[in-house]
Amino acid sequence: IFAIGDWGGMDGGVVTDERPKKEYRRIIQYSGGDAPGPHVMARSRAGCKFPNLVECFNTKGKVGPDPSSSCLATCGWTEGIDDQAQFLVANQVKRRAAISKPQYVLNVGDNFYWGGIETDCGLPMGQISSVARQQFDDVFEGIYSGPGLDGKPWLSVLGNHDWGGRYFNSGWDQQIAYTWASNRWVMPAAYWSQRVEYPDQGFSADIFMIDSNVYDARDPDEDPEHNICGALHSPDTANCSAAGGPPSLSQCKEWFEKFWQRQQTWLEGKLQQSTANWKIVVTHFPCGHASSWYAGLHRRFGLDLLVTGHRHDQELWAHSPQLGGLTCIVTGGGGGITSEVSPKGHATSNSQYGFFDIAISKQQIRLELVNQEGDIVKKGTVYSRGR
């Protein structure tokens, strides 16, 4: 099994339709970002704000004098890594896939930066827009292919950017619809489950895919650049009820809260009923969110592994005390967005971009953190409870 997240760069070739309150028709942050195909989204780092990191892409890392707008040394921008992160990780995924031959991929979301599929929600489920088709072709199909990957299912969830990031009416439902237009993209709903049987080895795994984006759904006037329910960028007329989503801006936060509560009840029931040897949860928000709840799932229902993203690095929380002994991984370093810290010169630089290679058997789950250079940075093992 492979696990990856936060991987889908900005497609420079896409031209969107005009949409209310979307002040752009191209997904371009910096010079050269208009070329077709994915480009790494600049975010921020400690001592380096968003405009500074964008300017690093513009100047190829040339440090300037203005602390508010220049590329700064504290940005740690690294040419050949930060500007190629998705390709570097994808190349290691392909190299490793030819050897490991994963049977499927666990995809933890933030599949398309900066605002998901660049259409508004509400298209018929049997229709894939030309914009969605182009983004899938350029950012997914054309990047993650080759021996060991072709035809392998990507079991997927939505990240906050897939909902829109700072609005809720992006084409998140197009990602669900693409399930029926692809031979490997699997996201039949915003939350769902998959039973995997290994009859030749006599064991099974239940994988529960849930949406934790309530943690970025706030009051409309709060944190406008990091709020799915933010008023600044969401049209007053935004309505995703036709796709089963939030019906309005004023009801957005409450919708996500109820959606999360419904999932919690669903997951607890499913875990209690599960007869699988392994129980795995996949979601977007990282190790540390809802810690006491996940610890309870581990203790009460035997949850074995939590697979997450959102933080833009690679982390292994082995038998975490914060999670009651549950092992959790963060695999948010897929390269669609800049990493938390510089990929060079920092104590954790070698675990900023990458993915996880996971081997599962009846007795154990082996976890290997693989970075963008193909190095195995960390290893961990989850042992069977003997179910």
Side-chain angles (χ1 to χ4, degrees), residues 131-147:
V131 169
R133 180 72 66 180
Q134 182 173 353
Q135 285 184 264
F136 267 104
D137 285 348
D138 292 350
V139 180
F140 173 63
E141 301 288 4
I143 306 297
Y144 305 97
S145 60

Side-chain angles (χ1 to χ4, degrees), residues 129-244:
S129 71
S130 60
V131 169
R133 180 72 66 180
Q134 182 173 353
Q135 285 184 264
F136 267 104
D137 285 348
D138 292 350
V139 180
F140 173 63
E141 301 288 4
I143 306 297
Y144 305 97
S145 60
L149 280 179
D150 291 341
K152 300 300 176 64
W154 282 54
L155 311 185
S156 303
V157 295
L158 297 167
N160 57 302
H161 284 267
D162 296 312
W163 284 94
R166 55 187 190 178
Y167 43 86
F168 68 86
N169 68 323
S170 190
W172 51 268
D173 51 339
Q174 285 282 276
Q175 295 197 43
I176 294 173
Y178 195 70
T179 300
W180 291 275
S182 167
N183 68 348
R184 57 181 182 145
W185 184 265
V186 186
M187 188 195 291
Y191 70 96
W192 57 286
S193 65
Q194 177 68 58
R195 178 73 167 232
V196 182
E197 298 280 0
Y198 297 86
D200 58 329
Q201 297 188 48
F203 75 96
S204 58
D206 273 341
I207 303 173
F208 303 97
M209 319 291 291
I210 64 172
D211 188 301
S212 49
N213 293 296
V214 64
Y215 289 93
D216 247 8
R218 304 180 177 93
D219 290 325
D221 295 329
E222 189 178 338
D223 195 7
E225 301 303 323
H226 303 93
N227 181 3
I228 297 173
C229 298
L232 183 62
H233 300 288
S234 294
D236 295 336
T237 57
N239 181 349
C240 291
S241 60

Side-chain angles (χ1 to χ4, degrees), residues 16 66 98-99 135 177 189 213 227 270 282 318 385:
T16 74
D66 188 341
I99 301 168
Q135 285 184 264
N213 293 296
N227 181 3
K270 287 288 188 180
V282 178
R385 295 185 174 196

Side-chain angles (χ1 to χ4, degrees), residues 33-274:
D34 57 342
H39 300 267
V40 180
M41 177 180 168
R43 187 174 173 265
S44 62
R45 287 172 176 159
C48 177
K49 295 182 179 179
F50 169 72
N52 304 117
L53 199 51
V54 170
E55 189 62 12
C56 290
F57 279 84
N58 284 325
T59 65
K60 302 296 182 185
K62 183 179 179 181
V63 173
D66 188 341
S68 64
S69 62
S70 295
C71 178
L72 305 177
T74 51
C75 293
W77 190 84
T78 306
E79 186 173 9
I81 300 180
D82 283 322
D83 55 343
Q84 297 292 321
Q86 182 179 355
F87 291 105
L88 293 174
V89 174
N91 286 340
Q92 294 303 331
V93 167
K94 290 189 281 190
R95 186 187 68 82
R96 190 97 170 179
I99 301 168
S100 297
K101 295 180 173 57
Q103 292 176 311
Y104 50 94
V105 178
L106 302 178
N107 171 27
V108 304
D110 275 3
N111 309 316
F112 299 96
Y113 287 104
W114 60 58
I117 296 296
E118 295 288 349
T119 61
D120 286 349
C121 60
L123 286 175
M125 195 55 64
Q127 176 183 338
I128 303 298
S129 71
S130 60
V131 169
R133 180 72 66 180
Q134 182 173 353
Q135 285 184 264
F136 267 104
D137 285 348
D138 292 350
V139 180
F140 173 63
E141 301 288 4
I143 306 297
Y144 305 97
S145 60
L149 280 179
D150 291 341
K152 300 300 176 64
W154 282 54
L155 311 185
S156 303
V157 295
L158 297 167
N160 57 302
H161 284 267
D162 296 312
W163 284 94
R166 55 187 190 178
Y167 43 86
F168 68 86
N169 68 323
S170 190
W172 51 268
D173 51 339
Q174 285 282 276
Q175 295 197 43
I176 294 173
Y178 195 70
T179 300
W180 291 275
S182 167
N183 68 348
R184 57 181 182 145
W185 184 265
V186 186
M187 188 195 291
Y191 70 96
W192 57 286
S193 65
Q194 177 68 58
R195 178 73 167 232
V196 182
E197 298 280 0
Y198 297 86
D200 58 329
Q201 297 188 48
F203 75 96
S204 58
D206 273 341
I207 303 173
F208 303 97
M209 319 291 291
I210 64 172
D211 188 301
S212 49
N213 293 296
V214 64
Y215 289 93
D216 247 8
R218 304 180 177 93
D219 290 325
D221 295 329
E222 189 178 338
D223 195 7
E225 301 303 323
H226 303 93
N227 181 3
I228 297 173
C229 298
L232 183 62
H233 300 288
S234 294
D236 295 336
T237 57
N239 181 349
C240 291
S241 60
S248 68
L249 177 61
S250 63
Q251 299 174 75
C252 179
K253 180 186 175 184
E254 181 184 11
W255 185 91
F256 273 99
E257 289 172 345
K258 290 181 177 179
F259 187 52
W260 178 239
Q261 292 164 4
R262 189 161 74 246
Q263 291 179 80
Q264 288 181 302
T265 300
W266 172 85
L267 179 57
E268 290 176 10
K270 287 288 188 180
L271 285 169
Q272 190 169 21
Q273 296 166 10
S274 174

